[in-house]
């Protein structure tokens, strides 16, 4: 992610072999973070990356032309960053060896930045599957192992799966199923807690078997708060898909945003995203902040502090 506070919060990034949920209100930056994750998945191993491809299950259309264009901007920025970093490393190495005026050799440069690492190759490594309904999404998820094996056979393993979003079609189907129940007492919807939990189990098994990270983006929904101290009847926002899904998720990240008046040079403020690690078997709960720029996810300019652990 090239964002020290967020990297530290997550222990270096999204964990492999696990199912991680990113949840938050609309416009909080969930999909933007997913764009960055898919781009960063192609990062060369010499820079701490996994050199993998990504698979995106796009249920809301966020990964269409505008989404691909956004990924391109992030890919260009990432490649420029890596190339500049490699150039600085070589210049420093030559300076230490008394060769400050020596031209940078292509072989030395290639040893740090693989020839294949270009914006084009990054986008070629992001495989987007657009799903338009509940059945299509479910079938695509169950068919993923076949595609993953094909990619491994090509020497282009997938290291990241993003489901954006997990809840959209299942919530729509669950809503429409109420009218079906009222007519014949039965529901043709897959969107019951046991079924959604089975999908979570499937994603966890895929993550473990193929040693990749699975990121499921989720929405917030309103729930009646029966435990309110003011007599009950209140409401609260909770992640969609229910408690069975919540228990199945290995790690949960909540994203929200606020205005940070010192984060822009003109003092007009900028939306700062607050990333909170709510659940993780590896790291303590904590928060980190980031902003969304033209080049991708970056740290807040006025502060580059470490995450706050709770």
């Amino acid at each position: 992610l090239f964002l020290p506070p967020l990297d530290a919060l997550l222990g270096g990034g999204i964990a492999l072999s696990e199912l991680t949920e990113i949840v938050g209100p609309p416009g909080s930056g969930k999909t933007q973070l997913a764009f960055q994750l898919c781009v960063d998945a192609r990062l060369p191993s010499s820079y701490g990356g996994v050199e993998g491809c990504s698979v995106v299950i796009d249920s809301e259309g966020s990964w269409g032309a505008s989404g691909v264009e956004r990924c391109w901007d992030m890919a260009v920025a990432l490649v420029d960053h890596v190339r500049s970093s490699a150039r600085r490393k070589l210049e420093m190495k030559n300076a230490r060896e008394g060769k400050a005026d020596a031209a940078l050799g292509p072989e030395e440069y290639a040893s740090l930045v693989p020839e294949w690492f270009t914006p084009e190759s990054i986008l070629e490594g992001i495989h987007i599957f657009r799903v338009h309904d509940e059945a299509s999404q479910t079938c695509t998820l169950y068919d993923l192992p076949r595609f993953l094996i094909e990619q491994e056979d090509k020497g282009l393993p997938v290291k990241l799966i993003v489901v954006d979003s997990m809840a959209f079609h299942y919530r729509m189907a669950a809503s429409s199923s109420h009218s079906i129940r009222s007519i014949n007492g039965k529901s043709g919807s897959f969107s019951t807690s046991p079924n959604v939990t089975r999908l979570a189990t499937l994603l966890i098994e895929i993550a473990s078997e193929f040693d990749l990270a699975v990121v499921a983006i989720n929405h917030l929904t309103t729930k009646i708060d029966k435990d309110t101290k003011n007599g009950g009847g209140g409401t609260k926002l909770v992640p969609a898909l229910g408690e069975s899904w919540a228990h199945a998720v290995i790690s949960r990240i909540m994203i929200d945003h606020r205005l940070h008046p010192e984060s822009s040079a003109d003092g007009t403020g900028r939306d700062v995203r607050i990333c909170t690690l709510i659940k993780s078997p590896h790291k303590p709960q904590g928060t980190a902040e980031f902003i969304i720029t033209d080049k991708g996810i970056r740290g807040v300019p006025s502060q580059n502090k470490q995450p706050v652990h709770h």
Side-chain angles (χ1 to χ4, degrees):
L1 291 172
F2 288 103
L3 183 56
L6 191 53
D7 280 339
L9 176 68
L10 302 179
I14 302 296
L16 296 173
S17 301
E18 293 184 6
L19 169 60
T20 298
E21 178 190 55
I22 298 177
V23 63
S28 58
K30 303 183 295 295
T31 297
Q32 292 291 326
L33 181 56
F35 289 156
Q36 189 72 66
L37 290 173
C38 286
V39 169
D40 289 355
R42 292 292 283 159
L43 190 67
S45 58
S46 57
Y47 280 83
V50 293
E51 287 190 23
C53 296
S54 303
V55 167
V56 179
I57 311 300
D58 177 17
S59 67
E60 300 187 29
S62 302
W63 296 74
S66 60
V68 172
E69 183 178 354
R70 183 72 175 126
C71 288
W72 170 262
D73 292 339
M74 291 181 174
V76 170
L78 178 63
V79 171
D80 287 346
H81 176 90
V82 169
R83 288 176 176 172
S84 297
S85 175
R87 191 173 295 107
R88 286 193 300 271
K89 287 182 179 180
L90 290 174
E91 290 173 348
M92 291 174 62
K93 176 177 176 292
N94 288 342
R96 287 195 302 268
E97 297 174 355
K99 304 175 183 177
D101 297 330
L104 299 180
E107 293 183 359
E108 288 183 302
Y109 187 77
S111 67
L112 294 177
V113 182
E115 186 176 348
W116 61 262
F117 188 63
T118 63
E120 290 81 3
S121 72
I122 290 177
L123 259 65
E124 288 171 359
I126 302 176
H127 305 274
I128 302 171
F129 296 85
R130 178 73 168 100
V131 293
H132 296 276
D133 54 36
E134 176 195 15
S136 176
Q137 179 165 328
T138 301
C139 290
T140 300
L141 290 174
Y142 274 99
D143 198 41
L144 275 178
R146 178 187 60 79
F147 180 79
L148 298 177
I149 292 172
E150 290 176 357
Q151 287 297 113
E152 285 187 345
D153 291 342
K154 295 176 183 177
L156 299 169
V158 172
K159 302 305 290 183
L160 173 66
I161 294 173
V162 173
V163 185
D164 185 9
S165 68
M166 191 68 199
F168 182 73
H169 288 313
Y170 300 124
R171 290 175 67 190
M172 294 289 290
S175 176
S176 64
S177 69
H178 291 307
S179 60
I180 298 175
R181 290 192 185 94
S182 65
I183 296 174
N184 56 23
K186 298 180 180 180
S187 171
S189 172
F190 189 83
S191 308
T192 62
S193 291
N195 288 333
V196 171
T197 303
R198 279 198 289 272
L199 286 181
T201 301
L202 169 68
L203 292 173
I204 293 171
E205 291 175 350
I206 289 174
S208 177
E209 181 176 349
F210 291 93
D211 189 29
L212 53 79
V214 176
V215 171
I217 293 178
N218 198 4
H219 299 296
L220 293 175
T221 188
T222 302
K223 180 181 179 180
I224 301 296
D225 189 357
K226 299 179 181 179
D227 298 325
T228 52
K229 297 180 180 180
N230 59 359
T235 61
K236 60 181 179 180
L237 290 175
V238 298
L241 296 177
E243 294 183 2
S244 296
W245 165 265
H247 289 308
V249 168
I250 305 299
S251 296
R252 169 172 280 172
I253 299 169
M254 176 80 75
I255 298 181
D256 207 343
H257 55 98
R258 64 178 176 81
L259 193 64
H260 192 297
E262 299 178 358
S263 63
S264 61
D266 58 7
T268 58
R270 173 185 279 171
D271 256 350
V272 173
R273 269 58 182 189
I274 305 165
C275 182
T276 304
L277 184 62
I278 296 177
K279 174 185 177 183
S280 171
H282 315 294
K283 301 290 290 184
Q285 293 183 347
T287 60
E289 297 182 346
F290 66 90
I291 59 174
I292 299 172
T293 72
D294 293 341
K295 295 182 178 181
I297 303 297
R298 296 293 184 268
V300 179
S302 61
Q303 58 182 110
N304 193 26
K305 61 183 180 182
Q306 292 301 306
V308 177
H309 295 293
H310 304 306

